Amino acid sequence: INNVCRAVQEYKDNSGTTIREVMVKATRCGHLLIRLTVQKPTLEWGKAFQDYMIDRFPNMQCLCYNVAESAARPCKHSPLVFLTDSEYVIETTPNGLSYQIGPDTFSEVNHQVELQQFQQKQTWLQQQQQQELSSNNGPPSILLCTGRDISSLALGFGSTRDTANDNSLFHHVIAMQHCPLVHRDALMNFARHDHLSIAVFHRDKTNMVKTLSGELAKYDDRPIVGIMTGGRKGLDPAYLEYLVGNQNIRCIIYNSCSTKSLLRDMNGFVHGGFCIDDFWSYDLFPNTSY
């Protein structure tokens, strides 16, 4: 990733195009997705820059850019111009299931941290499973995933096996996302693994609770485990209120990248009757100012 950013920084031409920002995703097998934000791009610049990057990074699968018309960053729906045939890269979950990631939907979390997070969540799931078995309630059978990472969460943990009898740990998976771009990728990803029972929904924040309650009603009183990413803004207040008010939710594994929203959501969970069993934090960008 550092080499890509250095190569972009060193690129020079006379077209008048200015590169404002570069974002890079490196997959587990070494393929690259590169997204730029530029000002005043020309066709000549696009072709020359494409040749320049392909020559230096033959493992680059997706290269694209959007345009900033002013000093402000482009809006979320700013169109992307692709300089490669592929509009995504294929990534794998830590337990080996493939899924596509587009330039609007990837996370910059490095693989070492992602693997540690996956292993820690597996440990917590196994502990929860043992608690359910010891109380004669049976293992958790519904997995609820929300947030930007629904593809990796639903596929990775939805395919988790019960260590006692090697059956699937979850009977059914529900994945929900309010971003249409993440939802687009998720539909393709879950179609790749249709042996898993996954229902995926795209709803704005105001309709998440209504859809979720209707879907969960199909499964009587089965216990539920939630694995979700709060994101910078945290969980929608109505969604958090629904989670703490649902008696079938046995456990929530909450992932956050913002201390402000983390504290706000944890406060909501604790006041709603949950307690914090365990907590881990990770250094996503070691040896940097972040």
Side-chain angles (χ1 to χ4, degrees):
I1 292 176
N2 288 339
N3 290 338
V4 170
C5 294
R6 188 177 297 111
V8 172
Q9 187 176 25
E10 292 173 350
Y11 181 73
K12 307 293 182 185
D13 72 359
N14 298 317
S15 69
T17 300
T18 302
I19 299 175
R20 287 263 307 274
E21 183 179 52
V22 56
M23 293 168 282
V24 186
K25 170 65 180 179
T27 69
R28 295 181 185 280
C29 66
H31 292 150
L32 296 172
L33 182 157
I34 303 170
R35 174 181 170 178
L36 307 173
T37 297
V38 304
Q39 286 183 298
K40 301 178 180 179
T42 65
L43 291 175
E44 293 76 13
W45 168 82
K47 183 65 173 68
F49 184 75
Q50 176 189 25
D51 293 341
Y52 170 84
M53 293 297 288
I54 289 176
D55 181 60
R56 284 158 179 77
F57 303 101
N59 54 341
M60 180 182 68
Q61 289 199 332
C62 179
L63 175 65
C64 63
Y65 68 87
N66 61 358
V67 180
E69 303 293 348
S70 64
R73 295 184 67 180
C75 69
K76 183 176 181 180
H77 301 291
S78 175
L80 290 168
V81 179
F82 287 88
L83 300 176
T84 51
D85 292 335
S86 178
E87 298 183 1
Y88 57 84
V89 289
I90 297 295
E91 181 58 293
T92 57
T93 62
N95 60 339
L97 272 70
S98 62
Y99 65 101
Q100 76 175 47
I101 301 177
D104 296 296
T105 57
F106 71 87
S107 168
E108 296 90 342
V109 175
N110 62 59
H111 294 152
Q112 293 90 338
V113 168
E114 184 186 14
L115 179 59
Q116 289 179 33
Q117 290 182 340
F118 186 87
Q119 291 171 338
Q120 182 58 57
K121 290 170 184 173
Q122 278 193 318
T123 298
W124 284 334
L125 286 175
Q126 291 167 359
Q127 292 172 350
Q128 179 65 21
Q129 177 194 14
Q130 291 304 313
Q131 291 174 12
E132 292 290 336
L133 288 172
S134 63
S135 61
N136 297 318
N137 289 328
S141 57
I142 300 293
L143 174 64
L144 169 63
C145 297
T146 55
R148 187 177 186 86
D149 305 315
I150 57 170
S151 287
S152 57
L153 293 177
L155 291 174
F157 295 104
S159 60
T160 301
R161 311 296 290 181
D162 182 342
T163 54
N165 54 32
D166 199 35
N167 292 328
S168 294
L169 183 59
F170 297 104
H171 168 74
H172 183 64
V173 181
I174 301 171
M176 186 175 296
Q177 171 56 234
H178 58 80
C179 173
L181 304 173
V182 174
H183 178 254
R184 174 204 62 198
D185 280 359
L187 287 175
M188 298 295 295
N189 293 328
F190 300 149
R192 285 189 173 93
H193 304 282
D194 57 5
H195 64 286
L196 299 175
S197 175
I198 300 178
V200 56
F201 298 97
H202 169 231
R203 297 289 186 274
D204 58 38
K205 292 182 179 181
T206 59
N207 288 307
M208 285 179 65
V209 169
K210 180 179 179 181
T211 300
L212 183 57
S213 60
E215 179 68 13
L216 289 176
K218 301 175 183 178
Y219 299 96
D220 301 321
D221 293 326
R222 291 180 182 270
I224 302 162
V225 168
I227 301 181
M228 56 199 61
T229 303
R232 290 187 296 272
K233 297 180 180 179
L235 301 177
D236 182 72
Y239 180 51
L240 194 152
E241 183 180 357
Y242 172 79
L243 294 173
V244 300
N246 189 318
Q247 297 301 309
N248 292 328
I249 295 181
R250 303 285 202 267
C251 169
I252 290 176
I253 299 175
Y254 177 96
N255 192 56
S256 175
C257 58
S258 168
T259 53
K260 290 183 179 179
S261 60
L262 170 68
L263 289 171
R264 184 176 65 249
D265 287 349
M266 288 302 102
N267 199 36
F269 280 123
V270 170
H271 279 85
F274 281 77
C275 62
I276 300 174
D277 280 344
D278 203 355
F279 178 90
W280 284 81
S281 61
Y282 301 88
D283 187 354
L284 303 187
F285 304 103
N287 303 317
T288 73
S289 59
Y290 295 96

